[in-house]
Amino acid sequence: MYIKKILVAIAIIGLAVAAYFAYYIYGAMLKPNTAFNNEEAYIYVPTNAKYADVREQLVPLLKDIDKFDALADQKKYSTNIKAGRFVIKKDMSNNDIINSIRSKNIPLKIAFNNQERIEDLAGRIAFQIEADSLSLLKSMMNPEFLNKNGFSKETALAMYIPNSYEVYWNTSANGFRDKMLKEYNRFWNKSRLAKAEKLNLSPIDVIALAAIVHKETAKVDERPRVAGVYLNRIRKGMPLQADPTVIYAVKKESGDFNRVIKRVLYKDLETDSKYNTYKYGGIPPGPIFMPDVSAIDAVLNEEKHNYYYFVANVKNFGYHKFAKTLSQHNANRQEYVRWINKQGVNR
């Protein structure tokens, strides 16, 4: 009888322990433990992060960080941190959260366009991925990489085709650069390469010319016509005489790329720079800007015409008046000069 009571007591204690253990397991592993109201939240775990770095981001997102800590230790997550961008969904349990941030690195979409310099691009990308702007710039301008892939410090910007791309947040500077090289080679497919060859231009020449076209007109439907003007000039051996190249040359010579220049002056035309297409013939040594794909394709699919000149159309803002002869162009230009003087735009 006495033994029976002992066995019953042991059984009750066992059940109690099992119940407590089950409750603990439920609380630590299976019970929802999120404290945010949105459907999901993201944490960004840097390369070589410690558990304390992850924990700091989790504290405001979880109801009970202590139970999360205990399970993280038990599952050895606290000593095996993975870098990346991870999602935590509303009402996830600690177990689900650990499984997510241990193995489900979520890619993100990055985008860039219209950067004037490679330095600007590096800064733009640094806002979107883990790599900082200095490491990105160093990677982008690596002489060995540029030389190996047919670029130079003047043409490095041409490798980056404006678009949106899917990458991992913890992509390294070299990883980003190498991905963009692949995207560049994918962009220059057989069709585009054939069109460039027909124009007797390299892909980099096309992009450098497209940068001028883009700067000259924001109207996508007008870009093939503007491209046709410059290609006509090239075929005839005329200088491009593109105002955007002069503006770039003035900024580059002064080192002030934040300077706003709305009007090109005669003294600007004397700027001694290979980018000044009034002073030097041919296409500039590199792009003065990151052109949109529409501008690149405008060069590759130029409008066929006999225009050699154009100037802003003051009666149809955003568009231009085109001319076949210099006398016709001078008449159009005088109309523009009278208008800009009336606006009081001196620089």
Side-chain angles (χ1 to χ4, degrees):
M1 189 71 176
Y2 180 72
I3 296 176
K4 185 175 181 182
K5 287 181 178 180
I6 292 175
L7 292 174
V8 170
I10 291 172
I12 292 173
I13 292 171
L15 288 173
V17 170
Y20 175 80
F21 185 71
Y23 177 78
Y24 174 81
I25 291 296
Y26 173 72
M29 294 187 64
L30 305 176
K31 184 180 179 180
N33 191 31
T34 57
F36 51 87
N37 293 321
N38 295 333
E39 289 303 311
E40 57 188 26
Y42 288 89
I43 67 167
Y44 296 80
V45 181
T47 302
N48 300 321
K50 304 298 183 183
Y51 180 67
D53 302 315
V54 180
R55 190 180 192 276
E56 184 179 2
Q57 294 190 56
L58 289 174
V59 166
L61 300 177
L62 304 186
K63 293 177 181 177
D64 191 335
I65 191 64
D66 292 331
K67 286 183 179 177
F68 182 87
D69 288 339
L71 189 61
D73 283 339
Q74 184 181 332
K75 298 191 72 170
K76 295 182 171 53
Y77 170 74
S78 56
T79 56
N80 189 24
I81 307 299
K82 302 294 184 183
R85 171 179 179 258
F86 303 97
V87 64
I88 300 173
K89 296 185 178 180
K90 185 179 180 180
D91 294 332
M92 264 188 170
S93 68
N94 287 331
N95 192 58
D96 289 336
I97 294 169
I98 290 173
N99 287 342
S100 180
I101 65 178
R102 193 208 306 266
S103 60
K104 298 179 181 178
N105 192 2
I106 307 295
L108 51 73
K109 287 277 189 181
I110 64 167
F112 56 85
N113 63 356
N114 307 152
Q115 307 301 307
E116 194 168 30
R117 300 177 303 152
I118 198 78
E119 292 88 347
D120 300 324
L121 176 61
R124 168 81 172 160
I125 300 304
F127 275 109
Q128 301 177 74
I129 65 174
E130 181 186 11
D132 63 79
S133 58
L134 289 178
S135 62
L136 284 162
L137 183 59
K138 183 178 179 181
S139 177
M140 292 171 173
M141 298 300 286
N142 179 278
E144 184 179 350
F145 171 84
L146 293 174
N147 184 61
K148 177 182 177 181
N149 294 288
F151 296 95
S152 66
K153 64 180 183 178
E154 291 81 16
T155 64
L157 187 64
M159 197 187 87
Y160 301 88
I161 306 298
N163 209 331
S164 62
Y165 300 96
E166 191 173 85
V167 301
Y168 288 103
W169 174 77
N170 59 313
T171 298
S172 67
N174 284 351
F176 170 76
R177 178 201 65 191
D178 294 346
K179 178 177 175 60
M180 290 303 100
L181 176 61
K182 290 179 182 178
E183 295 294 345
Y184 173 86
N185 290 329
R186 184 178 293 116
F187 177 83
W188 284 103
N189 54 32
K190 289 182 179 180
S191 175
R192 286 192 173 99
L193 287 173
K195 290 176 180 179
E197 185 176 3
K198 191 174 180 180
L199 294 172
N200 293 317
L201 298 177
S202 69
I204 292 175
D205 287 335
V206 170
I207 290 174
L209 191 57
I212 299 173
V213 171
H214 184 129
K215 278 288 191 179
E216 289 284 17
T217 179
K219 302 296 184 181
V220 173
D221 60 326
E222 192 185 51
R223 285 175 178 166
R225 178 168 291 189
V226 171
V229 170
Y230 286 124
L231 287 166
N232 284 346
R233 281 176 163 262
I234 289 171
R235 293 184 188 105
K236 200 169 183 178
M238 297 171 63
L240 295 182
Q241 295 186 330
D243 285 0
T245 67
V246 179
I247 293 172
Y248 182 86
V250 170
K251 288 182 176 182
K252 191 173 189 301
E253 290 300 303
S254 68
D256 183 5
F257 280 90
N258 294 318
R259 189 177 181 184
V260 176
I261 300 175
K262 295 182 178 180
R263 183 174 186 176
V264 172
L265 307 178
Y266 283 114
K267 67 177 183 178
D268 298 330
L269 304 183
E270 296 304 315
T271 303
D272 190 12
S273 169
K274 295 290 186 181
Y275 290 92
N276 181 356
T277 56
Y278 279 82
K279 199 173 185 68
Y280 291 90
I283 297 172
I288 61 169
F289 185 73
M290 180 185 287
D292 283 351
V293 170
S294 64
I296 298 172
D297 283 339
V299 173
L300 295 174
N301 301 280
E302 59 167 318
E303 181 181 309
K304 303 291 186 180
H305 53 62
N306 295 317
Y307 296 127
Y308 289 89
Y309 310 91
F310 64 94
V311 69
N313 187 342
V314 298
K315 295 179 180 177
N316 189 10
F317 289 105
Y319 287 93
H320 295 78
K321 282 189 173 182
F322 294 81
K324 298 177 182 178
T325 65
L326 182 58
S327 59
Q328 182 184 1
H329 172 65
N330 285 336
N332 292 339
R333 185 176 176 279
Q334 283 304 311
E335 182 182 20
Y336 170 72
V337 170
R338 286 193 297 270
W339 178 84
I340 200 170
N341 285 339
K342 189 175 180 181
Q343 305 308 308
V345 178
N346 299 315
R347 192 55 167 153

